[in-house]
Amino acid sequence: MQGKTAIITGGGSGFGRETAIKLAQRGANISVVDISNEQGEETVKLCKELGTDAIFVEADVSKVEDVKRYVSQTVEHFGKIDLFFNNAGISGSGVRTLDCSEEEFDAIVAVNLKGAFYGLKYVVNEMLKTGGGSIVNTASLGGIVGMPTLGPYSATKHGIVGLTKTIAGEYGRDNIRINAIAPGTNETPMVKAFPAEAIKAMGEAVPMGRLGQPHEVGNVVAFLLSDEASYIHGAVISIDGGSAAL
Ligand SMILES: NC(=O)c1ccc[n+]([C@@H]2O[C@H](COP(=O)([O-])OP(=O)(O)OC[C@H]3O[C@@H](n4cnc5c(N)ncnc54)[C@H](O)[C@@H]3O)[C@@H](O)[C@H]2O)c1
């Protein structure tokens, strides 16, 4: 990945940060996009410590003007975009789906689905100018099966799967590879804050008997973005310890 440029949305935490580190270790330059300045800057620092160039762009992916800006600032600084981890997302308050307010439904759609769509729209436009690229969208186990109490989240993640498959059909001949990942529950900072017993119970419900670790997602994303995955296109890759199998 030496000399390649990657944009990572939601790069300030969890899967985004883990992937930034994996790509920086492989020599890629990183544009970290996040709504949180402090977390984004910390990821930039971690990438630079690995000897690569990195910038932070503060942006809200649900705002189209912010998306245009993170794309233009990345191209201004690095000259091109080769890799895109379209990853920023939010979950929901955990009520029965039809009890979810209109406002909350709209907010989840705006970040998870429209934010991902805007990113694809403006990043692919740049990739077409330079001969192609590779993209990974973050879906979820909830993009493959239903998730009681996370209905809007699950609906947007099913939407990510639909976007991924459809765009794969439209842009494969332009040398743009696009795939999605479908992670199960991972021990990200949010989950780690749960009581130990709850984490244990969630892990026991997984066929492998444990929750995932963010680096296990970062490894797969780095592989899918790399040339080693050169014939994987339009796929939805589960990273869930077997949960989608049942
Ligand atoms: N953690 C899990 O178990 C899990 C499982 C399946 C899918 N996912 C998905 O993976 C992705 C990353 O989740 P994570 O667990 O790493 O979460 P996280 O909360 O650790 O990181 C998400 C990052 O996105 C940023 N962000 C949130 N809203 C944003 C916005 N509007 N614009 C820009 N940045 C924004 C946050 O500031 C944060 O740094 C999300 O799309 C999530 O839905 C997570």
Side-chain angles (χ1 to χ4, degrees):
M1 289 181 176
Q2 208 73 40
K4 292 200 171 174
T5 301
I7 293 183
I8 301 180
T9 68
S13 176
F15 301 159
R17 178 175 288 170
E18 288 293 331
T19 300
I21 290 166
K22 301 283 175 199
L23 299 187
Q25 284 168 342
R26 288 161 174 75
N29 296 320
I30 316 288
S31 176
V32 177
V33 175
D34 207 287
I35 204 166
S36 161
N37 186 304
E38 200 181 319
Q39 291 182 187
E41 290 289 6
E42 176 63 21
T43 302
V44 166
K45 187 170 148 260
L46 294 170
C47 292
K48 285 187 170 168
E49 281 169 7
L50 292 164
T52 196
D53 192 7
I55 59 167
F56 171 62
V57 184
E58 187 173 338
D60 178 343
V61 300
S62 70
K63 296 186 175 149
V64 71
E65 291 309 321
D66 282 23
V67 173
K68 288 183 188 171
R69 186 168 47 76
Y70 79 61
V71 169
S72 65
Q73 276 184 231
T74 304
V75 173
E76 241 165 64
H77 188 86
F78 295 111
K80 62 187 171 115
I81 304 162
D82 305 289
L83 314 171
F84 181 36
F85 185 31
N86 196 11
N87 165 71
I90 54 175
S91 56
S93 61
V95 294
R96 272 215 300 188
T97 300
L98 304 183
D99 294 329
C100 176
S101 68
E102 261 185 78
E103 291 74 19
E104 183 179 332
F105 191 92
D106 283 347
I108 295 170
V109 169
V111 176
N112 292 7
L113 193 52
K114 285 181 88 176
F117 166 71
Y118 295 149
L120 291 166
K121 186 174 175 70
Y122 293 102
V123 169
V124 166
N125 189 43
E126 289 300 324
M127 287 179 167
L128 290 172
K129 295 179 194 167
T130 53
S134 178
I135 298 170
V136 171
N137 295 322
T138 301
S140 167
L141 175 61
I144 298 177
V145 300
M147 282 205 158
T149 74
L150 288 177
Y153 175 83
S154 179
T156 59
K157 294 301 188 179
H158 277 76
I160 292 288
V161 170
L163 275 179
T164 303
K165 291 179 175 174
T166 303
I167 292 170
E170 294 169 340
Y171 288 89
R173 286 178 181 79
D174 295 301
N175 197 31
I176 293 174
R177 277 195 312 107
I178 178 164
N179 293 290
I181 53 163
T185 306
N186 271 261
E187 281 194 57
T188 50
M190 184 188 75
V191 172
K192 272 188 176 165
F194 295 172
E197 277 169 28
I199 296 180
K200 192 161 170 263
M202 286 158 74
E204 277 166 4
V206 175
M208 281 184 69
R210 65 171 177 86
L211 297 182
Q213 297 297 326
H215 75 268
E216 295 178 299
V217 172
N219 284 338
V220 177
V221 178
F223 165 71
L224 287 172
L225 288 174
S226 79
D227 291 342
E228 286 175 86
S230 53
Y231 203 53
I232 303 180
H233 182 53
V236 182
I237 307 291
S238 290
I239 315 165
D240 63 0
S243 297
L246 298 182

